[in-house]
Amino acid sequence: MPLESKDILGLEYMKTGDIATILKTAESFKQILERDIKKVPTLRGKSIVTLFYEPSTRTRNSFELAGKYMSADVINFSKATSSVNKGETLKDTAKTIEMMGVGTVIIRHPVAGAPNMLAKHLDTPVINAGDGAHEHPTQGLLDLFTIKQKKGNIRGLKVAIIGDILHSRVARSNIWGLKKMGAEVVTAGPKTLLPPFLEELGVKVYTRVEDALDNADVVNILRIQLERQKKALFPSLREYAIIFGINSEKLKYAKEDVLILHPGPLNRGIEISSEVADSERSSIKEQVANGVAIRMALLYLLMGGGKTGGQVD
Ligand code: CP
């Protein structure tokens, strides 16, 4: 079934039916990724470009691998060696690349709304790979997929999102996606890192981590984003780790079989202890693997596979 939208800009704008279609399609791609030979001809003759204006390890490489596993040609645009350094605007850069015939533009940008602006000007599908503190929809989708794979469903689960919500595009995409799929979402963190709009989104807000963790099915632990903090928002990292860092002791408040998620990269010993990150309850490594399956599903659905009802492989 094709998606309703030409672009993937955020889970706020995404229809619940589209989320369900993407999660279902990713199941087929996950099976392909479990094979020895992962290459399929699905996107042969098509191309994608990754246009990253901010650093990335997981998102960029998993989009590149997703494209390559599906036989697409992949261009990785490098801001440092491009004509952006001669003053070319984002819109002109993207239009120039579109004229070369690319099938999908994947963009990460520090400015919230940059992918939305591009989507208005391009006929080519645009995927938001993270825009400022706004949204990171492919991370939100891979988190939903991981929860569904591990717990069997999403509806009715209690999901606690802990940490730096203020600067987190992952938190926003998770909240929109989880609420649409029927989960209960609670948050906790220092008051200075909890934006005022959370309650308007139907999210319960706590300042004591133990209250948010109480009986939780899933805990999504966020990275402290020091690079986005313009002034000190808590006394020290040591104090943050003691009060808000998730360790085995604090996890006693959650359900016995609680699922631990973290979008990465990890600040070990600050927002998460190594003991928790590497425990059997942690699916952090699986999130990374599921990110490839989700991104394969998105490229397939946006680049014709979903519209023609074509075979995944
Ligand atoms: N989770 C995430 O977006 O990681 P990267 O910044 O490494 O892509």
Side-chain angles (χ1 to χ4, degrees):
M1 190 188 292
L3 298 180
E4 288 205 21
S5 171
K6 160 186 144 311
D7 310 289
I8 305 296
L9 300 175
L11 298 193
E12 177 180 359
Y13 323 104
M14 195 177 278
K15 295 271 182 348
T16 306
D18 277 359
I19 297 177
T21 300
I22 295 162
L23 300 186
K24 188 81 201 143
T25 308
E27 286 174 15
S28 308
F29 285 107
K30 182 151 180 166
Q31 285 172 15
I32 290 172
L33 291 173
E34 283 160 3
R35 298 178 188 165
D36 278 351
I37 295 172
K38 304 175 197 326
K39 196 117 176 161
V40 290
T42 321
L43 297 181
R44 192 160 50 202
K46 300 192 177 184
S47 58
I48 63 172
V49 61
T50 66
L51 208 63
F52 275 51
Y53 286 74
E54 278 188 345
S56 169
T57 297
R58 280 147 282 268
T59 313
R60 182 172 183 148
N61 288 314
S62 61
F63 265 118
E64 180 171 353
L65 272 178
K68 286 181 171 169
Y69 285 152
M70 297 166 82
S71 304
D73 293 307
V74 182
I75 307 168
N76 288 312
F77 168 90
S78 161
K79 183 180 159 223
T81 55
S82 74
S83 289
V84 168
N85 289 334
K86 300 177 203 161
E88 192 162 40
T89 63
L90 171 61
K91 183 178 144 194
D92 285 342
T93 302
K95 278 238 158 239
T96 300
I97 288 167
E98 181 177 51
M99 292 320 293
M100 296 175 193
V102 295
T104 297
V105 173
I106 298 144
I107 176 166
R108 171 171 287 190
H109 201 279
V111 175
N116 305 56
M117 183 277 285
L118 276 195
K120 281 198 193 111
H121 293 286
L122 301 186
D123 295 324
T124 309
V126 174
I127 301 180
N128 177 4
D131 61 329
H134 177 222
E135 281 233 30
H136 191 348
T138 65
Q139 179 72 44
L141 288 165
L142 78 87
D143 291 344
L144 290 175
F145 185 67
T146 305
I147 294 171
K148 190 159 180 276
Q149 291 255 309
K150 298 300 283 189
K151 295 286 183 190
N153 62 4
I154 298 170
R155 183 163 299 282
L157 295 180
K158 177 178 174 180
V159 182
I161 303 178
I162 308 293
D164 184 355
I165 317 280
L166 182 68
H167 300 100
S168 178
R169 52 199 179 203
V170 174
R172 281 165 187 71
S173 292
N174 262 261
I175 290 167
W176 287 113
L178 286 163
K179 296 293 291 179
K180 286 182 186 191
M181 300 308 280
E184 178 196 355
V185 184
V186 302
T187 60
K191 263 191 186 155
T192 48
L193 295 178
L194 295 170
F197 60 79
L198 286 171
E199 275 165 352
E200 285 167 33
L201 302 183
V203 174
K204 198 145 178 104
V205 181
Y206 296 97
T207 46
R208 276 188 82 243
V209 160
E210 292 81 355
D211 292 336
L213 293 179
D214 184 42
N215 219 26
D217 298 283
V218 181
V219 182
N220 199 349
I221 303 160
L222 301 176
R223 183 172 70 87
I224 283 290
Q225 300 195 37
L226 292 172
E227 76 277 18
R228 292 193 204 277
Q229 293 184 22
K230 293 182 178 61
K231 57 178 182 175
L233 293 171
F234 48 86
S236 70
L237 286 175
R238 190 168 164 273
E239 192 162 314
Y240 182 90
I242 293 167
I243 300 172
F244 298 103
I246 302 299
N247 53 28
S248 302
E249 202 49 41
K250 290 206 188 81
L251 277 186
K252 286 182 181 156
Y253 289 87
K255 282 194 178 150
E256 185 83 28
D257 63 346
V258 66
L259 175 69
I260 304 296
L261 303 178
H262 188 305
L266 307 181
N267 291 310
R268 287 176 181 266
I270 299 175
E271 72 263 0
I272 187 168
S273 70
S274 280
E275 185 193 9
V276 169
D278 302 328
S279 70
E280 281 192 0
R281 295 187 285 184
S282 162
S283 279
I284 296 172
K285 287 184 188 145
E286 209 164 341
Q287 280 175 278
V288 177
N290 288 340
V292 183
I294 279 288
R295 289 165 181 130
M296 287 172 86
L298 288 169
L299 294 175
Y300 168 78
L301 290 164
L302 290 176
M303 292 172 78
K307 291 191 187 80
T308 58
Q311 289 295 306
V312 161
D313 58 348

